Amino acid sequence: MSATDIARQVGEDCRTVPLAGHVGFDSLPDQLVNKSISQGFCFNILCVGETGLGKSTLMDTLFNTKFEGEPATHTQPGVQLQSNTYDLQESNVGLKLTVVSTVGFGDQINKEDSYKPVVEFIDAQFEAYLQEELKIRRVLHTYHDSRIHACLYFIAPTGHSLKSLDLVTMKKLDSKVNIIPIIAKSDAISKSELTKFKIKITSELVSNGVQIYQFPTDDESVAEINGTMNAHLPFAVIGSTEELKIGNKMMKARQYPWGTVQVENEAHCDFVKLREMLIRVNMEDLREQTHSRHYELYRRCKLEEMGFKDTDPDSKPFSLQETYEAKRNEFLGELQKKEEEMRQMFVQRVKEKEAELKEAEKELHEKFDRLKKLHQDEKKKLEDKKKSLEDEMNAFKQRKTAAELLQSQGSQAGSSQTLKRDKEKKNLGFL
Ligand code: GTP
Ligand code: MG
């Protein structure tokens, strides 16, 4: 019997019985609250918007503090994300707040890939959580969850329509994060223009199928306010950390030569609506939606990509163990196949090399034979030459001996004639 069958049976057999007295489990919600408070909370906001649209100022205004961060230049070669985490405390509630902001968004001539670093950042946080979840020894309760709970998308107060960069980016992000679009620096736009601008933005988002975050209306206690606020989206906000004395109160405002804009005045802008919706009313829903909707989708796709399935081809439940075994066998099979392929390739290569070597050896032999023959011919030629030279030498020697003999005979004959002539000369009285 499967776990669901058992659960169903237990459910069917379950009877309501009255308690005779106080037991104490009515304190469970309080226990939960106390535990949560002692653990603390974490909330991660991503601000996406062009450089100088007032992202940092709005964060400072929202949390009533001065966060760190330098203004970006307009010369960034690409889009980057800057993340800072802060520990905040309000009453006895601790909040680990992470503010991630785009740097250089919308500053490049080619903005085609501007959304990519943002998508990659969001995915990287999901991946880190998934890796922690898949660990054998996981410590999720102390793990710093960096998944983005809310994405404030800053729209420039042009009064026209959404830029294609905004539409493309929001479209790429809407299945990964809760998008809350806001019209930044809304003091730059007149009241009537703002109404039209809001309508235009909403219709463009709808016609392009961009899913923005809707404040939940299923909880009765907040259904009314959330329902009303959904109709006010996108919120037109103004940010300022400057405090001015208005009446006898210090208020956050922006002062202009012609007057003062009060940030927290609902007649001037939607800042209070945003703060209420984002922080006071729906922070927990944003966290929950991130986990149950966006992370769940990421996890499902990732596990399916890795080959995990809940059911087999016959729609029967498929356990993790079976998936693992199937994957392991598939992997081993592939490994064997690869091994065989590599062996075949090796044998083939050896054969080729052997043939190459044989060919080279044959060539060497031929060369050797050729050289040997050449050498023999040369040797024979030299020997012939030597022989002819020796013959010549012998003939010369013979000639030389004959000549010497002839010369000696000649000289003998010469000397006897001289003697005879001397005798004759003596006789004649010359000597
Ligand atoms: P980068 O981080 O450099 O991308 O800029 P950013 O989006 O963080 O803008 P930042 O908050 O630094 O504000 C840029 C300028 O706009 C500052 O001079 C702010 O005072 C001004 N600013 C911020 N919010 C508003 C606003 O609501 N209205 C007007 N008119 N100016 C604003
Ligand atoms: Mg900034």
Side-chain angles (χ1 to χ4, degrees):
M1 195 187 294
S2 76
T4 23
D5 291 340
I6 295 169
R8 203 174 296 127
Q9 211 175 50
V10 170
E12 278 163 7
D13 293 347
C14 203
R15 287 183 300 129
T16 309
V17 289
L19 299 175
H22 184 247
V23 178
F25 61 77
D26 59 352
S27 73
L28 252 176
D30 300 332
Q31 291 175 35
L32 259 178
V33 169
N34 291 340
K35 198 175 162 195
S36 297
I37 288 175
S38 72
Q39 271 177 3
F41 299 87
C42 98
F43 191 63
N44 307 321
I45 300 182
L46 167 66
C47 296
V48 181
E50 290 170 33
T51 304
L53 261 188
K55 302 182 286 295
S56 307
T57 311
L58 189 76
M59 283 302 109
D60 291 351
T61 321
L62 269 176
F63 289 93
N64 221 347
T65 186
K66 175 83 191 92
F67 295 123
E68 57 203 90
E70 292 295 309
T73 62
H74 287 280
T75 51
Q76 300 283 335
V79 178
Q80 287 165 12
L81 283 107
Q82 204 172 57
S83 170
N84 290 305
T85 302
Y86 310 91
D87 271 321
L88 307 179
Q89 185 82 26
E90 191 172 49
S91 315
N92 63 340
V93 180
L95 182 72
K96 199 182 264 299
L97 176 76
T98 299
V99 179
V100 185
S101 214
T102 55
V103 179
F105 189 77
D107 280 334
Q108 294 74 41
I109 294 173
N110 182 356
K111 300 181 181 66
E112 212 175 299
D113 293 337
S114 296
Y115 71 88
K116 277 189 185 158
V118 187
V119 170
E120 281 163 12
F121 181 88
I122 294 172
D123 280 348
Q125 313 317 308
F126 283 150
E127 185 59 33
Y129 191 88
L130 180 64
Q131 288 306 322
E132 184 62 32
E133 222 183 36
L134 293 175
K135 272 187 190 168
I136 307 280
R137 287 164 184 248
R138 54 190 190 171
V139 272
L140 284 171
H141 61 286
T142 54
Y143 171 79
H144 177 217
D145 184 2
S146 57
R147 293 172 298 174
I148 300 296
H149 300 119
C151 164
L152 292 183
Y153 195 96
F154 287 65
I155 299 166
T158 58
H160 288 268
S161 56
L162 281 172
K163 298 179 185 177
S164 41
L165 171 67
D166 298 329
L167 276 173
V168 169
T169 309
M170 281 197 259
K171 186 83 197 132
K172 294 283 177 189
L173 294 183
D174 72 353
S175 59
K176 295 178 180 289
V177 71
N178 299 311
I179 302 177
I180 303 176
I182 53 177
I183 300 167
K185 295 189 175 181
S186 66
D187 50 328
I189 196 164
S190 76
K191 208 172 170 182
S192 58
E193 279 170 346
L194 187 64
T195 315
K196 282 189 211 146
F197 193 34
K198 277 193 179 190
I199 295 170
K200 180 98 182 143
I201 292 170
T202 312
S203 79
E204 277 189 336
L205 290 175
V206 171
S207 62
N208 285 283
V210 179
Q211 294 277 317
I212 60 165
Y213 174 71
Q214 294 292 308
F215 303 116
T217 48
D218 41 9
D219 177 355
E220 264 175 44
S221 60
V222 289
E224 197 184 327
I225 180 159
N226 278 353
T228 321
M229 290 301 156
N230 277 332
H232 277 92
L233 282 170
F235 293 139
V237 295
I238 294 167
S240 176
T241 43
E242 201 184 329
E243 298 231 326
L244 297 174
K245 194 162 185 180
I246 296 164
N248 49 8
K249 264 177 126 186
M250 291 304 283
M251 287 181 178
K252 285 199 186 71
R254 296 187 73 86
Q255 200 168 29
Y256 299 103
W258 58 88
T260 304
V261 178
Q262 295 164 28
V263 172
E264 289 171 287
N265 185 335
E266 288 203 51
H268 292 190
C269 74
D270 299 332
F271 174 81
V272 173
K273 292 188 182 75
L274 173 69
R275 190 175 59 193
E276 286 284 292
M277 289 293 98
L278 178 75
I279 303 173
R280 205 182 61 80
V281 183
N282 296 305
M283 198 181 245
E284 183 47 27
D285 186 70
L286 285 160
R287 282 157 38 92
E288 203 206 294
Q289 290 283 322
T290 302
H291 185 71
S292 61
R293 209 170 121 220
H294 302 301
Y295 172 65
E296 212 47 42
L297 179 66
Y298 177 85
R299 184 181 169 277
R300 199 182 78 206
C301 295
K302 196 74 199 199
L303 293 182
E304 277 174 1
E305 213 176 86
M306 286 158 76
F308 291 105
K309 287 184 204 99
D310 285 335
T311 51
D312 64 9
D314 307 325
S315 308
K316 291 208 182 101
F318 212 42
S319 77
L320 204 69
Q321 179 69 24
E322 282 173 74
T323 313
Y324 170 73
E325 288 291 336
K327 262 276 151 215
R328 191 167 176 270
N329 289 340
E330 191 185 311
F331 173 73
L332 286 178
E334 261 172 38
L335 200 73
Q336 254 174 9
K337 211 173 121 195
K338 274 231 166 76
E339 233 175 60
E340 184 57 28
E341 270 172 20
M342 277 180 76
R343 212 176 59 79
Q344 294 286 348
M345 205 149 73
F346 180 71
V347 170
Q348 181 68 20
R349 289 281 292 277
V350 167
K351 273 187 188 159
E352 278 170 17
K353 210 65 213 173
E354 231 172 48
E356 262 174 44
L357 282 173
K358 266 194 184 142
E359 188 63 26
E361 197 184 345
K362 203 175 137 205
E363 267 174 32
L364 266 177
H365 273 301
E366 281 172 8
K367 199 172 172 185
F368 175 72
D369 289 345
R370 244 182 293 127
L371 281 174
K372 200 170 149 192
K373 194 168 175 309
L374 216 74
H375 177 250
Q376 277 171 354
D377 291 351
E378 202 72 18
K379 197 176 160 192
K380 194 169 175 312
K381 258 190 225 166
L382 284 172
E383 272 170 2
D384 290 351
K385 206 167 185 177
K386 188 183 165 196
K387 197 167 173 308
S388 78
L389 281 173
E390 274 171 3
D391 290 351
E392 256 177 57
M393 234 164 79
N394 287 337
F396 177 75
K397 269 185 197 164
Q398 275 173 8
R399 275 206 308 278
K400 191 183 165 199
T401 325
E404 276 171 359
L405 198 68
L406 220 66
Q407 202 181 12
S408 72
Q409 278 172 1
S411 70
Q412 263 178 16
S415 65
S416 61
Q417 261 185 2
T418 319
L419 274 174
K420 208 170 159 188
R421 253 193 326 264
D422 284 352
K423 216 172 186 179
E424 280 171 5
K425 277 179 189 172
K426 213 175 189 180
N427 291 340
L428 288 171
F430 290 119
L431 290 172

